Amino acid sequence: MLTAAILLVLAVSYLLGTFPSGRLAGIAAGVDISKHGSGNIGATNVLRLLGKPYGYAVFAADAFKGLVAVRFALLIMERTGILRHQIELVAILAAITCVAGHTFPVWFLFKGGKGVATSAGAIFGLMPLAAIIIFLVWVFLFNATRYVSVASVGAAAALPVTVGAMLWLKLAEGRTFLYFSIAMALLVIWRHRSNLARLRAGTEPRFDRK
């Protein structure tokens, strides 16, 4: 029963993550997102190619995937009668699996987005306060640099620091959340390695101020 419930949660989480928000936005606009711009199917490339309405919609949809995966995990596991910390562990695994589905979707030869929006949604489902703080860090860095990649990498790096501070201040419980935040930060930073290379070379696209 418990094993089946966990497998169900992980399977649903991965499938949620593979939902191709960016590709569908491109189809709606008559553009193959994977063949234009950076070739990435995430919200940033959609925003650059198709504009704010499409970009914001894709970001919201990708974030929603992470949130739903976590909430679904909590809903299912609470009905199994296991301990609270075990429920949270499965929810964390669901978050990681959903981000993995977004980043490595089986339907598209494992070529997906970079996981920023989906991670944000999952973190909001697990730790709303941490998600809000990280969002503010992202906004600050983006406004200061106008580089989405800098904002995303900076916010990712700030996540384990934020979670660690929350644990120290007794605003959260469980070191598992800290390990999860480190894993998410490393994944997002690793997925931005090409952006970091372009930043060093001075060729990273930048959003101009309007």
Side-chain angles (χ1 to χ4, degrees):
M1 174 67 177
L2 178 58
T3 301
I6 294 175
L7 291 176
L8 172 64
V9 165
L10 297 181
V12 170
S13 297
Y14 179 82
L15 292 175
L16 278 170
T18 65
F19 182 78
S21 310
R23 289 180 181 272
L24 292 178
I27 291 173
V31 177
D32 186 346
I33 294 297
S34 65
K35 295 181 180 178
H36 293 82
S38 66
N40 190 271
I41 64 170
T44 300
N45 197 38
V46 173
L47 178 62
R48 287 197 180 101
L49 294 174
L50 306 180
K52 291 181 180 180
Y54 284 101
Y56 292 167
V58 170
F59 183 92
D62 287 345
F64 189 64
K65 295 189 298 188
L67 175 60
V68 171
V70 169
R71 301 313 300 179
F72 177 76
L74 293 173
L75 177 65
I76 295 298
M77 299 315 296
E78 283 171 355
R79 296 185 177 185
T80 64
I82 62 176
L83 298 176
R84 182 64 191 179
H85 74 275
Q86 294 174 316
I87 294 174
E88 291 174 346
L89 177 59
V90 175
I92 288 172
L93 291 176
I96 294 173
T97 305
C98 185
V99 174
H102 174 80
T103 307
F104 307 109
V106 65
W107 323 118
F108 304 108
L109 301 178
F110 304 101
K111 296 179 180 179
K114 296 182 178 179
V116 175
T118 306
S119 296
I123 293 166
F124 187 80
L126 292 166
M127 306 181 72
L129 179 57
I132 292 171
I133 293 172
I134 295 307
F135 174 73
L136 293 176
V137 171
W138 189 97
V139 170
F140 171 79
L141 291 174
F142 176 71
N143 285 329
T145 67
R146 307 304 293 180
Y147 287 112
V148 171
S149 56
V150 170
S152 298
V153 169
L159 176 60
V161 176
T162 300
V163 174
M166 289 177 61
L167 291 173
W168 184 66
L169 294 170
K170 307 299 183 182
L171 297 175
E173 297 180 358
R175 290 190 175 274
T176 306
F177 285 117
L178 179 60
Y179 303 144
F180 161 73
S181 67
I182 293 172
M184 288 294 94
L186 291 175
L187 176 60
V188 170
I189 293 172
W190 179 74
R191 288 291 290 165
H192 281 81
R193 62 194 186 281
S194 60
N195 301 84
L196 295 174
R198 288 194 294 270
L199 283 167
R200 288 193 296 268
T203 58
E204 176 74 350
R206 184 177 186 177
F207 282 90
D208 295 328
R209 296 183 185 275
K210 300 297 184 181

